[in-house]
Amino acid sequence: MTRDNLLFAIIGILLGFILGFLLANSILTREAALRASPQSQQSQNLPPNHPPVGGDQGRDPQQIFTQVQEAMKQAREHPDNFDAQLMAAKLEYQIQRYDQAIEYLLVANKLKPNDFDVLGMLGVANMDAGHFDAAEKWYRAALIKKPNDIPVLDGLCAVLLSKGDAKGAEEAINRLAKIDPTNQDLPQFRDKLAELKSAKK
């Protein structure tokens, strides 16, 4: 190995460690923000009982990064373990790997088809991944379990508007307004609905 090749190899190894550290640190920061602000979950259209990302604050970021890898391994090796699937899904979602999170959530849903949190999380992950039809399906399934759940209804409004479904969005907005008339998202939902209706004329 030439001197130049050795130098590039060392730089590559160092970059790998730095990227791993930054990824783990990002997960720790998001986790701390979620724990510090319970309302932040609702602002992201998450179900009210959305499980927090695992781990305690103050731990070594490298340890958390190792935990992420271990969670993925456990989920792959134990497809019949609901908790392992859920943990892997949450961690994938936190690092914005939405399609991978959806895969774990679908396995969890097969294990516990009536779990409200999983239904809601499937709605959120599909919406963030841009799979609006699937997101609508899962949000509606969650609302069958809890018809007046505001974060899920909020998410359904957003999905229907993104799909351009003016009629469905108007119904969802009216339903949300009836349940939670002071909801802070209502004005922007109504504005987007007006734009949608105007564009279709």
Side-chain angles (χ1 to χ4, degrees):
M1 181 179 287
T2 67
R3 186 176 177 181
D4 286 343
N5 287 343
L6 181 60
L7 181 61
F8 284 129
I10 292 171
I11 290 172
I13 291 169
L14 288 173
L15 281 174
F17 279 123
I18 290 169
L19 288 173
F21 175 83
L22 290 174
L23 175 62
N25 193 45
S26 171
I27 292 169
L28 180 62
T29 302
R30 288 169 184 261
E31 175 186 324
L34 284 173
R35 288 177 181 271
S37 174
Q39 295 304 316
S40 67
Q41 292 183 341
Q42 290 193 358
S43 68
Q44 295 177 24
N45 298 328
L46 298 177
N49 295 320
H50 188 285
V53 175
D56 300 322
Q57 298 181 41
R59 287 194 300 166
D60 177 26
Q62 185 59 42
Q63 185 180 1
I64 293 177
F65 185 63
T66 302
Q67 181 194 16
V68 172
Q69 293 177 316
E70 181 60 26
M72 309 305 173
K73 182 173 181 255
Q74 289 295 320
R76 286 192 302 269
E77 293 180 355
H78 304 283
D80 57 343
N81 187 319
F82 176 81
D83 291 333
Q85 303 306 314
L86 201 56
M87 176 59 73
K90 288 185 289 182
L91 292 170
E92 291 281 24
Y93 181 85
Q94 284 295 319
I95 57 176
Q96 299 180 2
R97 288 166 42 114
Y98 303 127
D99 285 331
Q100 289 83 351
I102 290 166
E103 288 178 15
Y104 290 118
L105 287 169
L106 287 172
V107 176
N109 177 252
K110 285 182 181 177
L111 296 171
K112 291 187 179 180
N114 295 319
D115 189 279
F116 173 78
D117 288 332
V118 171
L119 295 173
M121 289 168 69
L122 275 163
V124 173
N126 275 285
M127 181 173 70
D128 288 342
H131 308 316
F132 299 131
D133 287 337
E136 179 184 355
K137 166 192 163 184
W138 292 111
Y139 277 134
R140 290 193 184 281
L143 286 170
I144 290 172
K145 301 291 177 191
K146 295 186 180 179
N148 295 334
D149 187 86
I150 293 168
V152 173
L153 191 52
D154 224 317
L156 179 62
C157 284
V159 164
L160 293 171
L161 287 167
S162 296
K163 284 180 62 176
D165 182 353
K167 182 181 178 182
E170 186 167 21
E171 289 174 359
I173 289 168
N174 290 339
R175 184 173 169 187
L176 179 62
K178 185 176 180 180
I179 297 168
D180 184 20
T182 60
N183 187 292
Q184 61 183 5
D185 292 326
L186 281 172
Q188 73 174 38
F189 284 157
R190 286 173 174 145
D191 288 344
K192 287 180 182 178
L193 178 62
E195 289 174 14
L196 194 58
K197 285 182 171 180
S198 177
K200 289 194 172 184
K201 284 182 180 178

